[in-house]
Amino acid sequence: MEPESLGAEQGASLPGPADELGTLLGQDAALPKLSGGELESKSDLIDDKEFDIPQVDTPPTLESILNETDDEEESFVLEDPSLLNIDNIDTHSYDTSSLASSDSGDRTHSKRKKKLPDSFSLHGSVVRLSLLKGISAQIVSAADKVDAGLPTAIAASSLIAVGTSHGLALIFDPNQALRLCLGSTAVGAQYGAISALSINNDCSRLLCGFAKGQITMWDLASGKLLRSITDAHPPGTAILHIKFTDDPTLAICNDSGGSVFELSFKRVMGVRTCESRCLFSGSKGEVCCIEPLHAKTELRDHPITQYSLLAMASLTKILVIGLKPSLKVWMTFPYGRMDPSSVPLLAWHFVAAQNSVNPMLAFCRGDVVHFLLVKRDDSGAIHVTKQKQLHLHYDLINFTWINSRTVVLLDSVEKLHMIDRQTQEELETIEISEVQLVYNSSHFKSLATGGNVSQALALVGERACYQSISSCGGQIFYLGTKSVHVMMIRSWRERVDHLLKQDCLTEALALAWSFHEGKAKAVVGLSGDANKRKSVLADRMVEILFHYADRTLKKCPDQGKIQVMEQHFQDMVPVIVDYCLLLQRTDLLFSQMYDKLSENSVAKGVFLECLEPYILSDKLMGMTAQVMKDLLLHYQDKNLMEDMEACIVHMDITSLDIQQVVLLCWENHLYDAMIYVYNSGMNDFISPMEKLFKVIAPPLNAGKSLTDEKVVMGNKLLVYISCCLAGRAYPLGDIPEDLVPLVKNQVFEFLIRLHSAEASADEEVYPYVRTLLHFDTREFLNVLALTFEDFKNDKQAVEYQQRIVDILLKVMVENSDFTPSQVGCLFTFLARQLAKPNNTLFVNRTLFDQVLEFLCSPDDDSRHSERQQVLLELLQAGGIVQFEENRLIPMAEKAEFYQICEFMYEREHLYDKIIDCYLRDPVRKEEVFNYIHNILSIPGYSAEEKQSVWQKAMKHIEELLLLSPNKAADLIATHFNDQIEGIIKNLQDQFLLFQFLRSLLDPREGINQDMLQISPCVTEQFIELLCHYNPDHVLETLQVLEFYRLEETIQITQKHLLHEASSYLLEKKGDIHGAFLVMLEQLRSKLLMLTCEIEESTELHLLKDIEDTLVKTIALCQRNSHSLNQQQREALWFPLLEAMMSPQKLSSSTVLCQYSEPLKSLTMQVLNNMAAFIALPSILQRILQDPVYGRGKLGEIQGLVLGMLDTFNYEQTLLETTTNLLNHDLHWSLCNLRASITRGLNPKQDYCCICLQQYKRRQEMADEIIVFSCGHLYHSLCLLSKECGIETKGQMRWTCYKCNSSNKGGKLSENFSELKKGNGASLAQTSSESLLDSQQIQAFDQLCRLYRGTSRLALLTELSRTHGGEKHGLLNVSQGDPALNSVFQNENFQLHLTPPPLTEE
């Protein structure tokens, strides 16, 4: 908003009297009334009559709004319309420029075009902020001409009063004309600035409070001074607030001392007096905001008004008091935590809640607004209930109710926020910094009287603007340093029109619709009657829609791609369609709107496509024939055939040319649509069937396969017939009830026709049934089965059923061109029908026999499984009763229909015979195991049946093993456990026996070994078979097997020359040396082979073999060396070393030269592993005693010796490093301990913390001064009196009284104290011990156990004791002989090397 320039023409001379001052404006401004209903309940809407909202006779048209110039302004109103002077309206005396409007002054307008803020697009511009040019100009003129000073306070009622800094009060009428100029600059010089104003209910009196504490009362009719009050409150304090109550003889004032006084005005014998009573003294807490409850005229009889309630906000709490009948405090409410600079705010308003109207007090300090509902009960007591709080993200400096649902907040950065109270939704935000709001800081600091106020009040006053904002009748006035602005809620029309001006038509429609539905917020000017409201808004929306349509066409891009134009219309046109349908104005949509949009072919196309979702959801009724026709043509042109079909089946097409639509559908393969048109357009259900039959019958009768297109047609035909017979419409909905029997009969008659219309001479009988059977026998019979379900047992229905069955039999049985599956389907269908309890059909049994012959015919081996499946289905469907069983089973066996045999045997409980069926059936052989298991384990079978199955399985056990050894073994382990040894004896095939035993005994195969009770000889038999058939797996199997005897098994492995397995068994037996000899012999033989001349291809393989054997031998030695003595270890390792070194002695062999390196590395491997178990000197001695090495050069063993020396050097270095680290660590710890002991302590104070006397004042000579490391200082006698000293071993242990009492024994901290005796020469170091409860002791013990080990200090002490000459008294870890009790002698001792912790200097 641009600030108005107030030029010279607006301020001429200012003579003096108020009426002359009025000529400066020379005009009266009309202020149309928008006082708005404050008391609407949650459910009812505002009613114009109830709240005196004026009706607008001729609402403006859309064109008039859109043709207005940008700077055209709108008027505003004050509360009292009787003061209006309509004849003298001058539209240039004020400005409606609002931050949310589209005027040239709107700096945000250009940005908003790009992206609308959320609240704006949702609610539009809710408020209008206008500059009152007339009043503003006169304030400036008054300052210039009569030295009125700057404005300081404003009060608004039917009149507007503005107070100035030089003590003048300017009174303006609703037309912005200056009515009165009260007071004079001389008074101002005496009293100071006007700091507060108040106008009473009937606008007859004005109270002015001054900065120096005086109060004046004026008659607003005559302009006379009625009272000048100087003694109402303590002198030297400014008036912060002065307020009339609803009782004109009672007012409340609040001064800068924080006190509140009640002023009672009386007139005795013609003399006006004023009595003052203190309601709240500032000494108990300073009040800085007061708010009496004002009731509007219509609520004057409300029971709560008799109490004359007053809310007061001090710096710490809220109080609500009643002034009548006697003074009473009804409520106090503390603030809780808040910013001390935030301003306390109070505001009353009557609201409708819980079916009654009651006052609600809003109070706030900071960023949370509390709402308190105040009620009076039947006994006369007042109850206050808290309502939902409003949490904000900004600090408030003003809170104003604009009506009972809407509040306006001003934050500390001068932004206005309009908020809906119930939903807490922010409706609009406006920046008002350019108002240059007046702040009341100087009065809160009481600068006029020398600034004698508390710092807390002065801090609050920094942002206080109580006197600059005044509300009245739904309008809020803001006083700036040079202007007055008014803010009010726009009427619903203004809000819609404002959006239209912004060119936001979509948002305008959305807002209008929210008004229409009663969902909008802050609504002004609408009827409370829902029907009236909807009617008014529907008319307005229609106007906007017409304009929207024109604009859509006008704004269409003329040039460029067609896609751009299409996108434009796709964005715009759906809006028109949506709102026309929401308003239920299809007449408008399909006449004027459609005609308008049809001017552009692209728009027309988009319009027609928009209709599709509404057609598909059946929301669009009453489409005109023209639109339907255009729609179909449009889809045809665009080739959107599927969309067209979807729409046709939802449309009422009776008004179109049916034949033309049918032709269109047929040509484009829209069969659903074609059927729908015939059915709903002409009630013809048979013609579509005939048309479809004509297409699919010829290729089927000729035996050709159908194309995909014809398969689709056939499927649709089947579904269509099914729907007709079930009474449903195709593709959706239901056939009218009166037509259902007729349609069923027509369709049946059609199906059973002997010949089709226009049939050729060679056509076979019953063409329709035949075609459907050929197309899909199963589905066609399913359709008939469903229809038979629905049939009622009347005579005609029974006849139809029998007739169609006869035809089916005639067509299928007398023709050989149907497959077994198709014939089976028919007889399954018949069997199901015949098996029904209320069956009325008759079918000749001989036909079933013929079918049996046909399905079991052995001359035709094709389709074996299909024929078996068909016969099984037929039997399961109830066809079993149609056959003789003694004939059926032999035929099934002959045809190898084993599933049929199973079905028959199961009926007769011959379960053992079913095993034969499984074993003979190549497809289901594997399932025999599950079958046997189920019979033997599931309850429900008799003992005899189980026994017969068990015997049968035993008989076929070899066959079962051949089938699957694993599954058979599982079955045997579960059900034939006691027969295992017998089965093993009977098995002749050794490999089969091996497979069986492996599955049975190897735990890796998954059988639970605990279930088996098998003698070890069976396991040994399995091991022998394993040695024979799979020798590579013997060792790993032996490692998992459990039940075998070692001696016997060793003989078996030795017999089969399996050395590794033998070695493993010998080791398991405990013969370590024997096991070692076996491996050593194996190694020697392989090394011997290496010395022979061998082919190159086997060399590498042999070397790898030697390495593997060596690794296993070393592992054997390592595993067992721990449990052997030195001599036994040498008996293992030295022969191994000898064996590896012996080939290297044969230096003459040329063959070995190339292997010398690999052999040396293997020898080194042996030596490295030996070194862990055998002392190095004995290894060297053994090598040097060897005759080869003893007399020769030591070149061969040089590498070995050097390797040993390297190891020794490494270990020596490691030991030295460790010792150095420990020594350094010990030195560091001792230094730290010495430093901490010798460091002086610094007491925090120079008096004893218990007796609070100077430490020098000692009671006795024995009294010592004790200083703790925490800084507290005590007399020793004082500490003893508090039991803070314990004598142990002749030394006193002191604890700090203050720290210990605050810890309550809960902390493990220890305080070190120093004793300064006499001159403070001697030092004694002690530590305090806190007492632990049992739970803490338990936790501490647990920690100790967890980290059990030798402490670092204990190690250091031990080292210092053993290496140093003297004992350091650091920690007495051990008593007695240190050599005996050394921590290093402990077998669990482990050394953990960690760096010492860093300490701050």
Side-chain angles (χ1 to χ4, degrees):
M1 187 192 312
E2 290 180 345
E4 291 297 324
S5 58
L6 301 169
E9 71 275 11
Q10 288 175 305
S13 62
L14 198 68
D19 54 346
E20 287 182 33
L21 188 61
T23 60
L24 289 172
L25 276 168
Q27 58 263 9
D28 300 5
L31 309 172
K33 176 170 175 55
L34 286 174
S35 62
E38 286 104 1
L39 306 173
E40 70 274 24
S41 70
K42 290 181 185 179
S43 53
D44 300 332
L45 287 143
I46 304 169
D47 187 28
D48 292 352
K49 290 176 186 168
E50 185 185 344
F51 293 107
D52 194 24
I53 297 170
Q55 290 293 326
V56 183
D57 298 331
T58 52
T61 62
L62 185 65
E63 287 71 27
S64 69
I65 290 159
L66 293 165
N67 294 331
E68 284 173 4
T69 56
D70 271 355
D71 58 354
E72 188 166 346
E73 289 141 354
E74 299 146 6
S75 49
F76 77 97
V77 72
L78 285 165
E79 184 159 277
D80 191 352
S82 62
L83 298 170
L84 279 173
N85 183 352
I86 293 173
D87 301 325
N88 295 328
I89 292 175
D90 184 318
T91 53
H92 295 287
S93 61
Y94 55 84
D95 183 15
T96 63
S97 242
S98 152
L99 279 174
S101 75
S102 62
D103 299 338
S104 57
D106 183 8
R107 295 195 296 268
T108 61
H109 179 52
S110 57
K111 291 178 189 170
R112 190 172 280 140
K113 278 281 189 166
K114 292 171 193 167
K115 187 179 178 190
L116 295 161
D118 293 338
S119 63
F120 180 80
S121 57
L122 192 62
H123 304 290
S125 174
V126 184
V127 297
R128 185 173 72 238
L129 186 69
S130 314
L131 172 67
L132 299 183
K133 281 186 180 175
I135 296 177
S136 305
Q138 290 177 90
I139 289 171
V140 173
S141 289
D144 291 345
K145 307 299 180 190
V146 297
D147 192 23
L150 292 172
T152 54
I154 189 168
S157 183
S158 299
L159 300 171
I160 298 173
V162 177
T164 71
S165 58
H166 290 176
L168 292 176
L170 309 176
I171 311 299
F172 299 92
D173 68 11
N175 303 323
Q176 301 191 50
L178 184 62
R179 261 288 195 81
L180 297 164
C181 177
L182 306 175
S184 65
T185 49
V187 173
Q190 183 188 347
Y191 290 177
I194 290 183
S195 57
L197 290 170
S198 178
I199 301 174
N200 68 357
N201 277 335
D202 59 2
C203 267
S204 61
R205 299 283 184 271
L206 171 73
L207 276 174
C208 303
F210 288 87
K212 291 185 181 176
Q214 293 83 348
I215 299 167
T216 57
M217 181 191 275
W218 299 85
D219 185 333
L220 287 176
S222 62
K224 284 181 182 174
L225 177 65
L226 300 179
R227 287 181 176 83
S228 186
I229 306 158
T230 55
D231 56 354
H233 67 103
T237 53
I239 298 290
L240 298 184
H241 299 277
I242 188 150
K243 308 261 178 164
F244 272 111
T245 64
D246 279 348
D247 177 354
T249 67
L250 211 58
I252 313 292
C253 81
N254 172 205
D255 65 16
S256 59
S259 300
V260 180
F261 295 87
E262 176 190 78
L263 306 179
S264 180
F265 305 118
K266 292 183 180 172
R267 192 168 179 181
V268 183
M269 308 284 289
V271 179
R272 289 188 170 89
T273 62
C274 171
E275 290 177 8
S276 167
R277 171 169 67 150
C278 181
L279 301 177
F280 190 89
S281 168
S283 60
K284 294 178 184 175
E286 293 154 304
V287 170
C288 54
C289 180
I290 59 169
E291 200 61 54
L293 173 62
H294 288 292
K296 297 185 67 126
T297 318
E298 60 268 24
L299 287 166
R300 290 284 155 80
D301 297 331
H302 194 287
I304 212 155
T305 54
Q306 69 195 47
Y307 294 99
S308 193
L309 292 182
L310 170 70
M312 301 188 289
S314 78
L315 296 177
T316 54
K317 59 179 179 265
I318 301 287
L319 292 97
V320 175
I321 64 172
L323 301 177
K324 296 178 179 178
S326 59
L327 192 63
K328 182 166 183 181
V329 177
W330 287 110
M331 182 208 77
T332 59
F333 193 101
Y335 293 125
R337 294 182 63 185
M338 45 69 200
D339 179 2
S341 68
S342 51
V343 185
L345 304 170
L346 294 170
W348 288 101
H349 205 284
F350 280 88
V351 298
Q354 297 150 5
N355 302 324
S356 61
V357 174
N358 284 298
M360 184 177 277
L361 175 66
F363 78 84
C364 169
R365 187 168 186 194
D367 57 0
V368 180
V369 183
H370 301 266
F371 293 100
L372 303 175
L373 191 65
V374 181
K375 285 185 178 178
R376 173 185 180 274
D377 66 12
D378 298 335
S379 67
I382 285 177
H383 298 282
V384 179
T385 50
K386 288 177 77 172
Q387 306 292 303
K388 188 178 175 185
Q389 294 176 350
L390 173 60
H391 291 269
L392 308 165
H393 53 274
Y394 40 82
D395 269 6
L396 294 189
I397 58 171
N398 180 260
F399 178 102
T400 314
W401 293 89
I402 201 160
N403 60 39
S404 65
R405 289 188 178 189
T406 317
V407 295
V408 176
L409 315 177
L410 178 63
D411 67 19
S412 53
V413 294
E414 294 193 5
K415 265 191 186 166
L416 282 177
H417 303 265
M418 176 174 255
I419 290 181
D420 181 75
R421 182 181 64 81
Q422 285 162 336
T423 61
Q424 302 198 349
E425 187 179 354
E426 192 167 280
L427 307 180
E428 192 168 5
T429 309
I430 300 177
E431 177 78 56
I432 64 156
S433 53
E434 49 227 17
V435 169
Q436 294 181 331
L437 198 66
V438 170
Y439 285 87
N440 314 136
S441 312
S442 62
H443 311 314
F444 273 78
K445 295 175 182 176
S446 203
L447 297 181
T449 58
N452 52 341
V453 295
S454 70
Q455 284 184 338
L457 194 65
L459 187 61
V460 168
E462 291 289 347
R463 295 194 289 182
C465 56
Y466 297 111
Q467 303 303 325
S468 319
I469 300 171
S470 178
S471 69
C472 170
Q475 296 165 129
I476 307 174
F477 295 86
Y478 295 93
L479 180 65
T481 50
K482 294 182 179 177
S483 62
V484 176
H485 287 72
V486 65
M487 191 198 83
M488 67 189 80
I489 300 183
R490 296 174 186 267
S491 72
W492 71 270
R493 273 187 195 280
E494 280 182 83
R495 282 167 68 180
V496 172
D497 296 346
H498 181 78
L499 283 169
L500 294 174
K501 272 190 181 180
Q502 301 274 42
D503 216 15
C504 301
L505 273 75
T506 319
E507 285 83 1
L509 283 164
L511 183 61
W513 181 250
S514 71
F515 289 137
H516 184 280
E517 293 299 290
K519 291 179 181 173
K521 308 279 188 300
V523 186
V524 172
L526 268 180
S527 166
D529 182 85
N531 294 330
K532 278 189 203 171
R533 179 189 76 220
K534 290 189 174 182
S535 160
V536 169
L537 277 150
D539 295 345
R540 190 79 187 91
M541 287 179 76
V542 169
E543 287 176 37
I544 300 172
L545 283 169
F546 275 122
H547 172 61
Y548 189 84
D550 292 337
R551 181 168 166 275
T552 300
L553 292 169
K554 205 180 291 176
K555 292 272 176 106
C556 171
D558 299 333
Q559 296 164 332
K561 293 182 180 174
I562 189 81
Q563 287 92 331
V564 178
M565 194 186 286
E566 271 184 359
Q567 188 58 50
H568 166 74
F569 285 120
Q570 277 163 7
D571 292 343
M572 308 290 273
V573 174
V575 176
I576 298 173
V577 178
D578 281 350
Y579 282 110
C580 283
L581 292 172
L582 282 172
L583 292 167
Q584 297 174 340
R585 292 293 301 271
T586 46
D587 55 329
L588 182 73
L589 183 66
F590 295 129
S591 55
Q592 290 139 295
M593 288 295 172
Y594 182 57
D595 295 344
K596 261 184 198 291
L597 293 170
S598 298
E599 294 166 18
N600 182 307
S601 59
V602 179
K604 182 179 177 180
V606 172
F607 177 88
L608 292 168
E609 283 172 33
C610 283
L611 301 177
E612 183 184 345
Y614 294 101
I615 294 170
L616 296 184
S617 57
D618 295 320
K619 288 180 184 169
L620 193 54
M621 299 299 162
M623 274 176 74
T624 59
Q626 183 60 45
V627 175
M628 276 196 269
K629 190 175 174 185
D630 290 352
L631 181 67
L632 298 183
L633 287 171
H634 172 73
Y635 277 133
Q636 197 176 1
D637 292 345
K638 285 267 190 139
N639 201 25
L640 299 169
M641 290 307 161
E642 285 182 13
D643 296 343
M644 177 157 94
E645 182 170 40
C647 288
I648 288 176
V649 299
H650 286 272
M651 283 166 25
D652 176 13
I653 41 78
T654 44
S655 52
L656 294 182
D657 182 342
I658 303 281
Q659 292 306 324
Q660 191 182 350
V661 178
V662 168
L663 189 63
L664 179 71
C665 295
W666 185 255
E667 284 172 358
N668 293 293
H669 312 298
L670 309 181
Y671 306 115
D672 287 359
M674 179 202 76
I675 294 169
Y676 173 79
V677 172
Y678 268 117
N679 293 358
S680 63
M682 299 186 281
N683 279 347
D684 180 354
F685 291 84
I686 302 304
S687 299
M689 289 187 199
E690 287 180 333
K691 285 177 87 76
L692 291 170
F693 269 118
K694 276 180 190 170
V695 178
I696 63 166
L700 281 173
N701 293 339
K704 295 176 185 171
S705 62
L706 296 179
T707 61
D708 289 349
E709 175 68 27
K710 286 177 182 170
V711 170
V712 169
M713 290 169 78
N715 285 330
K716 285 188 186 298
L717 179 59
L718 270 176
V719 177
Y720 174 46
I721 290 171
S722 171
C723 284
C724 290
L725 293 175
R728 293 192 306 276
Y730 182 86
L732 42 95
D734 290 301
I735 298 172
E737 278 189 32
D738 53 330
L739 290 177
V740 172
L742 181 69
V743 171
K744 278 188 183 179
N745 288 346
Q746 281 181 357
V747 173
F748 261 121
E749 291 290 351
F750 170 75
L751 287 177
I752 59 180
R753 280 186 196 170
L754 198 59
H755 286 289
S756 59
E758 305 165 16
S760 59
D762 58 345
E763 184 187 66
E764 293 188 57
V765 291
Y766 307 116
Y768 299 132
V769 170
R770 185 183 304 279
T771 304
L772 287 170
L773 285 169
H774 272 301
F775 175 71
D776 192 333
T777 314
R778 189 181 292 274
E779 285 307 318
F780 176 51
L781 293 170
N782 282 345
V783 167
L784 291 177
L786 286 170
T787 310
F788 287 180
E789 290 285 333
D790 290 346
F791 266 163
K792 295 180 177 64
N793 279 334
D794 58 0
K795 194 177 176 188
Q796 190 183 15
V798 172
E799 282 175 13
Y800 270 132
Q801 273 179 296
Q802 189 64 53
R803 181 92 183 279
I804 206 148
V805 166
D806 292 344
I807 292 169
L808 288 170
L809 288 167
K810 186 173 178 61
V811 169
M812 288 195 87
V813 178
E814 292 178 12
N815 280 278
S816 58
D817 55 352
F818 286 98
T819 64
S821 183
Q822 288 173 316
V823 174
C825 279
L826 171 63
F827 280 90
T828 304
F829 163 74
L830 292 176
R832 283 199 182 113
Q833 297 303 321
L834 293 170
K836 284 184 185 172
N838 56 354
N839 172 49
T840 54
L841 289 177
F842 169 74
V843 179
N844 195 337
R845 275 187 74 155
T846 54
L847 286 171
F848 279 93
D849 289 340
Q850 285 175 17
V851 170
L852 185 62
E853 289 286 346
F854 168 70
L855 291 174
C856 296
S857 58
D859 56 329
D860 175 18
D861 282 340
S862 64
R863 303 192 176 190
H864 178 274
S865 62
E866 184 190 329
R867 285 184 287 125
Q868 176 170 245
Q869 199 57 41
V870 165
L871 185 53
L872 189 61
E873 276 185 29
L874 176 54
L875 294 175
Q876 286 168 341
I880 188 86
V881 299
Q882 310 293 337
F883 300 112
E884 293 173 17
E885 290 182 22
N886 54 6
R887 183 160 173 263
L888 181 59
I889 292 173
M891 286 188 75
E893 283 179 347
K894 189 178 173 188
E896 296 180 355
F897 287 175
Y898 297 114
Q899 288 182 23
I900 306 295
C901 296
E902 182 188 346
F903 179 78
M904 298 305 294
Y905 290 143
E906 190 137 0
R907 282 170 60 85
E908 294 169 23
H909 303 293
L910 300 172
Y911 300 111
D912 53 334
K913 290 193 174 182
I914 295 174
I915 294 173
D916 288 327
C917 295
Y918 274 108
L919 289 171
R920 285 186 215 156
D921 190 342
V923 180
R924 302 192 307 150
K925 265 186 179 180
E926 292 276 333
E927 293 173 30
V928 69
F929 298 104
N930 281 341
Y931 181 76
I932 295 170
H933 175 70
N934 289 345
I935 296 282
L936 294 177
S937 57
I938 293 174
Y941 300 98
S942 68
E944 294 80 18
E945 288 164 355
K946 289 190 177 188
Q947 185 62 27
S948 67
V949 168
W950 190 88
Q951 286 168 350
K952 188 79 167 184
M954 276 300 290
K955 188 177 168 187
H956 289 282
I957 209 85
E958 195 160 349
E959 206 175 330
L960 291 170
L961 280 165
L962 279 166
L963 190 58
S964 168
N966 201 340
K967 287 183 180 177
D970 196 7
L971 190 68
I972 289 165
T974 312
H975 299 290
F976 302 90
N977 203 340
D978 49 349
Q979 302 292 319
I980 290 174
E981 294 191 14
I983 292 168
I984 291 168
K985 281 177 192 162
N986 294 337
L987 278 176
Q988 301 303 315
D989 184 341
Q990 289 298 299
F991 185 66
L992 185 61
L993 177 62
F994 163 62
Q995 286 180 305
F996 167 54
L997 287 174
R998 183 172 61 186
S999 300
L1000 192 67
L1001 299 175
D1002 195 333
R1004 292 169 297 184
E1005 297 291 333
I1007 292 175
N1008 185 0
Q1009 298 297 303
D1010 297 338
M1011 294 195 316
L1012 302 173
Q1013 292 149 3
I1014 293 174
S1015 65
C1017 60
V1018 173
T1019 314
E1020 286 149 21
Q1021 187 180 358
F1022 162 55
I1023 292 168
E1024 185 144 12
L1025 288 167
L1026 186 66
C1027 292
H1028 180 68
Y1029 288 110
N1030 200 346
D1032 293 344
H1033 288 82
V1034 172
L1035 181 59
E1036 62 186 62
T1037 308
L1038 284 171
Q1039 287 167 346
V1040 294
L1041 282 178
E1042 292 173 10
F1043 307 109
Y1044 58 86
R1045 294 168 298 185
L1046 286 171
E1047 289 296 339
E1048 286 77 355
T1049 314
I1050 290 167
Q1051 287 171 17
I1052 294 167
T1053 53
Q1054 284 174 345
K1055 185 174 86 179
H1056 288 88
L1057 302 176
L1058 296 173
H1059 303 295
E1060 278 185 42
S1062 302
S1063 170
Y1064 167 76
L1065 291 166
L1066 285 165
E1067 186 183 356
K1068 192 172 179 181
K1069 182 183 166 188
D1071 184 359
I1072 311 300
H1073 201 70
F1076 171 71
L1077 288 176
V1078 171
M1079 293 302 289
L1080 188 65
E1081 190 56 44
Q1082 179 83 346
L1083 184 65
R1084 280 178 177 152
S1085 65
K1086 286 179 181 173
L1087 285 165
L1088 195 64
M1089 283 170 70
L1090 196 64
T1091 58
C1092 309
E1093 298 288 339
I1094 51 172
E1095 296 175 22
E1096 281 190 26
S1097 58
T1098 56
E1099 287 170 12
L1100 290 169
H1101 179 66
L1102 190 58
L1103 266 174
K1104 183 85 181 77
D1105 227 10
I1106 290 168
E1107 189 175 354
D1108 284 351
T1109 310
L1110 181 64
V1111 167
K1112 286 171 185 167
T1113 313
I1114 290 172
L1116 172 70
C1117 294
Q1118 280 179 323
R1119 273 198 305 276
N1120 297 289
S1121 285
H1122 293 287
S1123 56
L1124 301 175
N1125 62 28
Q1126 192 66 28
Q1127 192 180 351
Q1128 289 166 325
R1129 287 179 190 176
E1130 288 180 6
L1132 289 184
W1133 287 103
F1134 283 131
L1136 181 59
L1137 180 64
E1138 179 65 36
M1140 285 309 300
M1141 289 173 74
S1142 59
Q1144 297 175 51
K1145 297 173 190 174
L1146 308 169
S1147 52
S1148 59
S1149 169
T1150 53
V1151 181
L1152 280 170
C1153 293
Q1154 54 192 329
Y1155 302 130
S1156 62
E1157 281 308 313
L1159 284 173
K1160 272 185 182 174
S1161 75
L1162 290 174
T1163 311
M1164 260 327 275
Q1165 205 173 329
V1166 175
L1167 283 164
N1168 283 339
N1169 285 300
M1170 276 176 82
F1173 301 102
I1174 294 176
L1176 292 177
S1178 46
I1179 297 175
L1180 279 170
Q1181 189 181 357
R1182 187 63 171 261
I1183 291 168
L1184 293 171
Q1185 281 172 357
D1186 189 289
V1188 177
Y1189 297 122
R1191 63 171 176 269
K1193 291 177 184 174
L1194 299 179
E1196 290 88 341
I1197 60 163
Q1198 187 182 359
L1200 161 67
V1201 175
L1202 286 174
M1204 289 176 179
L1205 289 170
D1206 272 352
T1207 307
F1208 170 75
N1209 284 336
Y1210 166 71
E1211 288 178 354
Q1212 185 184 17
T1213 310
L1214 184 65
L1215 189 63
E1216 284 173 0
T1217 309
T1218 310
T1219 312
N1220 284 338
L1221 280 169
L1222 279 168
N1223 288 339
H1224 176 269
D1225 215 1
L1226 174 67
H1227 179 259
W1228 176 86
S1229 295
L1230 287 171
C1231 282
N1232 267 350
L1233 278 171
R1234 185 176 177 281
S1236 64
I1237 288 169
T1238 56
R1239 187 181 294 131
L1241 297 182
N1242 176 29
K1244 290 180 184 172
Q1245 65 279 317
D1246 60 353
Y1247 54 85
C1248 170
C1249 292
I1250 295 174
C1251 66
L1252 303 179
Q1253 297 290 319
Q1254 283 285 329
Y1255 71 88
K1256 293 173 185 173
R1257 294 184 186 170
R1258 285 177 288 176
Q1259 297 165 359
E1260 300 172 23
M1261 282 305 290
D1263 205 358
E1264 297 168 345
I1265 295 141
I1266 298 176
V1267 183
F1268 287 90
S1269 60
C1270 54
H1272 295 126
L1273 178 146
Y1274 304 92
H1275 293 122
S1276 61
L1277 291 177
C1278 295
L1279 273 180
L1280 280 171
S1281 69
K1282 297 289 182 184
E1283 296 178 359
C1284 289
I1286 304 165
E1287 189 169 350
T1288 52
K1289 296 180 184 176
Q1291 254 195 337
M1292 286 300 292
R1293 289 169 62 84
W1294 301 101
T1295 54
C1296 175
Y1297 170 68
K1298 273 204 166 184
C1299 298
N1300 207 39
S1301 60
S1302 63
N1303 285 349
K1304 294 174 185 163
K1307 293 185 182 173
L1308 287 166
S1309 60
E1310 292 193 348
N1311 293 319
F1312 289 101
S1313 63
E1314 289 186 16
L1315 289 166
K1316 303 204 173 181
K1317 296 182 185 174
N1319 59 5
S1322 68
L1323 290 170
Q1325 180 153 353
T1326 60
S1327 67
S1328 74
E1329 226 173 71
S1330 298
L1331 296 172
L1332 301 179
D1333 60 30
S1334 59
Q1335 197 175 357
Q1336 288 168 327
I1337 289 166
Q1338 191 180 344
F1340 188 69
D1341 288 346
Q1342 197 174 344
L1343 269 175
C1344 292
R1345 279 200 300 279
L1346 190 62
Y1347 296 109
R1348 180 169 289 147
T1350 314
S1351 75
R1352 192 180 166 101
L1353 267 176
L1355 281 178
L1356 294 169
T1357 310
E1358 187 75 33
L1359 286 167
S1360 65
R1361 181 190 295 142
T1362 50
H1363 296 296
E1366 62 186 282
K1367 279 190 182 180
H1368 294 280
L1370 183 68
L1371 244 179
N1372 295 329
V1373 176
S1374 56
Q1375 284 79 33
D1377 187 356
L1380 294 174
N1381 290 335
S1382 171
V1383 292
F1384 302 123
Q1385 297 298 319
N1386 184 350
E1387 61 178 9
N1388 294 325
F1389 170 71
Q1390 286 183 319
L1391 187 61
H1392 302 282
L1393 292 178
T1394 53
L1398 294 172
T1399 57
E1400 293 177 9
E1401 287 301 325

